[in-house]
């Protein structure tokens, strides 16, 4: 039995950082040894630096880790570094880590659009990680040092959207029109201060800054094929796929609900039953690879007419499984359905952990 | 100054009935004199029959009205009878009232699909009331007694959907594709028991029985033209208009939020500014007729990017005005926007009152 | 008919300031002419300086008022200045205004403990304003200029607590033991950021910084008699009255609910019916003086066993009336009951307006 | 290793019944084999009879169990039968089971007041189960058949109240005055229909039928000593202890928060630190007996000033641990504190399971 790989977390005191820590407690592959945060926290024990606001208790092992500043030198022994940094800070820090030869799995948006940075929903497009594989291969052949790299986690609402699309595209060909209206949980906005109580009590906020734009282009990257040399990925063109998102913040703690509608390029489209069966049968690569956190059932197709519901269904497969319900014909496009995904698991920190497990399974770290 | 017209309310102890009563307190045209409810309540003073659950106090004038059973004979002196009856009971009762020569404005769904029954959102299609006008005219010419009739109030979520469409269709021609995803308040479901607390606390229920179907066909009736002889109205065909609705129940007390998207039949479509200006300039007929409850501004086009919000915007024009925000181009259809309407005012009892005011202004009652 | 008195509002862009502005729209006695805010806002039109977050629209008259810095010179023509300043800034600013001869009615806590500053719940202890009367009288006799003064509004939760106590103490003598457990609305915490959504969604926060202490001592000042020369007021001693408060933040937008229990010094205590009748019969001085905002019914004693409820009862008498329910014997002290008061009306800005109306009625401004 | 004991659940389709089933999945001591429900459900497979509304999925093992009517003959092989029946039905059914020689652990209120029926909070007063021991012993000596018996689970809000009192009474003697104001979750009210959404959205309901009375007398039974012959238990007298409860329903899914205050009979009272240490040190008998579900830490004494909070703290020790915070001196009684307990675990079904584990450990079943 191999020793666990040492890993680190950047932005460790924030909302995403705290969830990375929870998910790394008792992890069979990784041992969390290094925590990075702002200079204000650096030098303190983690328990003294953090305002812990999770429903699970702060794991014992993390309490006494001394927080570092976010410098690559302090994390040089990490097989992978998880970044929960705010976009405001993530840019130069993650670059420094990558340049220092480190593997970074980041929840920040800064590098998501780079064509040589994989933007990965681990239950959907782990094949984009081959960009990393190519890079490592090339360096190896050249006798160069193992290069660093960045892998980006998608936006939380994008993760739920693309999950059911993957088996459909695999089975029935491209989707050329796609609409989604989201009802998004507040946990994604963090808690300092996050969403104000007065904004969600007896209320809806029909706007989340930048979110619709992210959903619209990220979907076109995640569903796009790799370049022939597997070194980059370009967005699908508008001719290939049009995506329209409308995003709302609602009074839900965890779990994004999305009402989606789609049209297949190939007409006539598959039957309703074929659509459902395709999603039921889907086994993501992470599951095939035996990754620890991979869902047993990637997509749960629910038949009760009032499901999925966030409070009841968000924790399927520890939040790594996505629930789909109310799959039915759509008078305007081909099919409509309701998708529920756990925004802080498959949509954020949890996705990062599963990406790292895939990287490990592929010997990229 | 004319005497006020005597009116009655059926289903007076229920949620919709209570709101009819509130809206009729101090009404300049109508005097509420008769209340009908189940045999269990009949014979009691209203204050003893009702479990009053409104934010305003039970009006003094209503307390001592003795509740009748819902028989036409007890309401024969009413210029108009407002029905807040459950669909379970409304069918035969409303028919008896109509057959007895009474004017019924009903919130129940039972007769909405009848081609000779106007289905009216008073700020949108009061011209459908000409069906009533024709019927009265015909009877008058024939020297027959004044006939009874039923006018149906639309479903609450339909009302918000069609309001911004009316000026667009008037100005720019037909809309051939329309999608809406709703985030609906719980007040529409009444309170005995209505929506369960555990269903809306930290939760979304992505299903409301029958609601999507109603929205899809009601829209096609409300936006359809009268027949040449003004005696009936038929649904728009699928070729003329396709409508797709996805309905969700959320933790909001009052005010339905809808994320809608639409395509014009005539291409190229109007500009974004034309679309907004058309809605801003819209003055509904009820306002032109000087109806007491008509909104000062029928459609409020908001420019702040995070509006409309139900808690902040639902009470514009006492709930008779509809708010529209985030009007923008849609990558899939032509335009998308967020619509907010007050479900118990313009979507239920309030619509009934305004319909009756229009009937009065047109001398139909 | 007299001209309206010119008034000003400090902290005009904040939560309390916005409510002062709403309450001053169409006020029969006061005309809001001056608005003060931080240097960041000064020089701008109010509509450009404020992030308006009220359910009513920003009143037309206020939109174009140019915001000043909070300097007395800019407010010298005000009969009264309402301060919605944060405690962080209120201290020196309010002092400067008072020293400049201005009348200040403040929602800030800074001067509440001063023995020569009246701490007033206007439906409870307007007689404490005689401190102001004495000061004016003295200056007048001395031929001095009309002096400035500060009157403090109580903490929002204190207002609800003391309202039902006043008639009881007037009728039955001192209350020597008093406990209250509060369930407080979030509007009192403002909105930048105010209470975080994640803290109130499916949650209770059993702590509000400084609140319990304020309730415990403010009650002892508000219920205390003036000194013999009417120039000061001292707290009741622990021997005279012991107060214990436990404060919780709950998912309610407006309206503080308090479960209180009390013991009379004089034993045996009055009967349950005497206690209720005393509260029902209570007419506050502001009502007797005919003040515009004074409640028609100061205390509403509800007999339904599940009332008062914040959503249903908080707006009695436009928020100036207090609702009391479930008055019953207490196995530990004498009586227990539930009290509901509107925290932003009688507990904050609204109290300030009513205090000013009383000052006007008494010719103090 | 012994075979697991067969057990049954009555009221299996209801809210409490569903939780019994979840807690019995993979239980090391018990094997759930029998389910009882109304005649409407009898004869159906459980999966076809139940409207499953839990956040965890319906356990596989339960799906195919055929539901019986609630007749003792169908449950005769059960070592213990857990009753989640409504009070409306529980009376004669539980009696029939007891008379048939069965051991019943009931969540219903029907037999709680009987002096020979133990009313047990398993982390507080398992010694009251000696009433059962005596009964068994007596029958054994008489050579009679093993008698049936009923053990009652306390009301959910009582469980949280008495938990921290136990170590205090054990260490410092009787508590003679006790007040509690509760903020109770909605899950305790079930879901058909349970608490209405409109009652808890932006609202508090300051009343729960019968709850205050139950808390006041149940506390006096749970903290009372057994009779000398260990066959009965009588309530503490008012002279020994006075209890006052005020109960509120709030918008929380799970977890009752209680603001309590207490006075010790022995004066002067222990110090604040003694009070906290006593609770920290408390190890309940169930833990000492090694019961499977017993909490590792019975009472968690929290030092952060804004804890416990239901969303963050309700799941300590799988809901079997109670959290206490804000322990501080009380100006009116001796000490006040905030207590949080999980109403469906230690306050209902979970308590039943732990009681059965104790009965097993004591060889009473």
């Amino acid at each position: 039995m191999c020793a666990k790989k040492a890993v680190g977390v950047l932005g460790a005191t924030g909302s995403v950082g705290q969830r990375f820590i929870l998910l790394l407690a008792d992890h069979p592959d990784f041992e969390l040894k290094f925590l990075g945060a702002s200079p204000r926290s650096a030098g303190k024990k983690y328990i003294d630096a953090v305002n812990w606001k999770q429903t699970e208790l702060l794991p014992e092992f993390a309490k006494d880790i001394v927080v570092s500043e976010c410098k690559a030198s302090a994390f040089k022994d990490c097989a992978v570094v998880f970044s929960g940094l705010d976009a405001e800070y993530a840019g130069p820090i993650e670059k420094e880590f990558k340049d220092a030869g480190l593997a970074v799995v980041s929840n920040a948006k800064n590098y998501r659009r780079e064509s040589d940075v994989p933007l990965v929903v681990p239950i959907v497009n782990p094949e984009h990680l081959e960009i990393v594989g190519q890079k490592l291969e090339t360096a190896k052949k050249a006798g160069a040092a193992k290069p660093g790299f960045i892998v980006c986690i998608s936006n939380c609402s994008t993760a739920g959207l693309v999950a059911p699309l993957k088996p459909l595209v695999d089975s029935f060909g491209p989707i050329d029109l796609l609409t989604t209206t989201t009802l998004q949980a507040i946990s994604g906005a963090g808690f300092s201060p996050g969403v104000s109580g007065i904004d969600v009590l007896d209320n809806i906020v029909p706007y989340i800054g930048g979110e619709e734009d992210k959903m619209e282009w990220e979907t076109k990257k995640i569903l796009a094929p790799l370049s022939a040399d597997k070194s980059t990925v370009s967005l699908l063109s508008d001719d290939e796929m049009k995506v329209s998102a409308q995003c709302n913040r609602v009074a839900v703690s965890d779990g994004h609900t999305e009402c989606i509608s789609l049209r297949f390029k190939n007409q006539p489209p598959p039957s309703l039953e074929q659509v459902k069966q395709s999603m039921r049968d889907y086994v993501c690569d992470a599951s095939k690879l035996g990754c620890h956190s991979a869902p047993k059932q990637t997509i749960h197709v629910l038949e009760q007419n009032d499901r999925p519901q966030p409070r009841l269904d968000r924790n399927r497969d520890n939040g790594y499984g996505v629930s789909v319900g109310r799959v039915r014909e759509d008078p305007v496009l081909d099919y409509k359905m309701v998708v529920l995904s756990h925004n802080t698991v498959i949509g954020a920190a949890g996705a990062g952990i599963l990406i790292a497990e895939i990287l490990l399974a592929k010997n990229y770290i």
Side-chain angles (χ1 to χ4, degrees), chain A:
Chain A
M1 184 176 169
C2 300
K4 293 185 185 183
K5 302 270 186 183
V7 301
V9 169
L10 303 180
T13 57
S15 170
V16 177
Q18 292 184 22
R19 293 189 182 261
F20 273 127
I21 290 168
L22 276 181
L23 291 162
L24 288 166
D26 304 314
H27 196 281
D29 304 323
F30 304 124
E31 183 173 1
L32 177 55
K33 288 196 164 169
F34 304 94
L35 297 174
S38 68
R40 193 178 61 244
S41 297
K44 295 183 188 167
K45 286 186 184 177
Y46 185 65
I47 195 174
D48 298 325
V50 73
N51 177 16
W52 186 258
K53 299 257 288 187
Q54 305 298 321
T55 57
E56 290 118 305
L57 293 175
L58 172 53
E60 282 300 321
F61 82 92
K63 289 182 176 173
D64 292 337
I65 297 180
V66 175
V67 177
S68 316
E69 286 196 53
C70 296
K71 307 283 190 194
S73 55
F75 291 80
K76 64 180 164 33
D77 297 328
C78 290
V80 63
V81 175
F82 300 97
S83 168
L85 290 168
D86 278 351
E88 191 180 347
Y89 305 106
I93 292 174
E94 294 180 1
K95 184 172 186 309
E96 194 231 349
F97 274 63
K98 184 194 71 171
D99 291 347
L102 286 162
V104 177
V105 176
S106 171
N107 192 57
K109 68 181 178 188
N110 307 57
Y111 295 105
R112 285 184 194 158
R113 283 195 100 124
E114 302 297 312
S115 66
D116 65 342
V117 170
L119 175 65
V120 175
V121 177
I123 58 172
V124 172
N125 66 328
E127 66 273 19
H128 283 196
L129 294 172
E130 290 182 34
I131 292 173
V132 171
Q134 284 296 313
K135 202 173 288 188
L136 295 172
E137 188 80 10
T138 304
K140 196 176 173 186
K141 281 183 184 158
K146 194 172 174 184
F149 59 86
I150 297 171
V151 176
C152 285
I153 301 165
S154 81
N155 190 47
C156 53
S157 52
T158 309
L161 176 60
V162 296
L165 302 185
K166 188 61 186 331
L168 298 182
V169 170
D170 285 354
S171 304
F172 311 114
I175 287 165
D176 65 353
L177 295 180
L178 174 67
T179 67
T180 180
T181 297
T182 69
L183 294 83
Q184 296 186 225
I186 63 178
S187 57
F191 40 69
S192 38
V195 179
S196 170
I198 203 69
D199 281 344
V200 290
L201 178 59
D202 190 11
N203 203 28
I204 299 291
V205 180
Y207 176 73
I208 303 172
E211 195 83 356
E212 297 177 352
D213 183 54
K214 278 185 234 167
M215 291 189 77
E216 293 178 358
W217 78 256
E218 288 186 5
T219 298
K220 294 184 185 181
K221 180 167 182 180
I222 291 166
L223 295 179
L226 285 178
S227 62
D229 67 354
K230 301 187 174 177
S231 70
T232 60
V233 62
S234 303
L235 304 196
L236 295 173
S237 71
D238 276 3
D239 282 350
E240 292 170 305
M241 182 180 210
K242 291 190 179 71
V243 183
S244 176
Q246 304 203 53
C247 295
N248 301 282
R249 189 73 75 184
V250 299
V252 168
S253 63
D254 288 314
H256 288 353
T257 302
E258 305 190 28
C259 295
I260 79 173
S261 179
L262 57 89
R263 191 177 75 181
F264 290 97
K265 188 180 183 79
N266 300 329
Q267 293 289 319
S271 73
L272 177 59
E273 185 48 36
Q274 285 175 312
V275 165
K276 293 202 283 189
Q277 195 59 40
S278 162
M279 295 190 287
R280 272 187 218 112
D281 290 347
Y282 180 60
V283 181
C284 68
D285 286 354
S287 297
K288 291 178 190 161
L289 288 166
C291 294
H292 169 66
S293 305
K296 285 208 179 104
Q297 176 71 30
T298 309
I299 300 177
H300 297 255
V301 179
L302 308 178
E303 295 294 339
Q304 304 99 305
N305 61 14
D306 63 350
R307 301 287 278 265
Q309 295 180 15
R311 200 177 59 81
L312 297 177
D313 299 309
R314 60 191 167 206
N315 287 322
R316 291 291 88 76
D317 299 275
N318 298 317
Y320 285 95
V322 170
S323 293
V324 171
R326 306 202 68 224
V327 188
R328 59 211 193 283
E329 292 187 3
D330 179 21
V332 170
L333 303 183
D334 288 341
Y335 292 102
K336 51 187 174 180
M337 64 189 79
V338 179
V339 184
L340 175 74
S341 60
H342 197 302
N343 56 302
T344 72
V345 183
I346 197 60
I353 302 296
L354 186 50
I355 288 170
E357 293 173 8
I358 298 170
L359 290 171
L360 184 65
K362 289 178 178 284
N363 291 312
Y364 294 169
I365 57 173

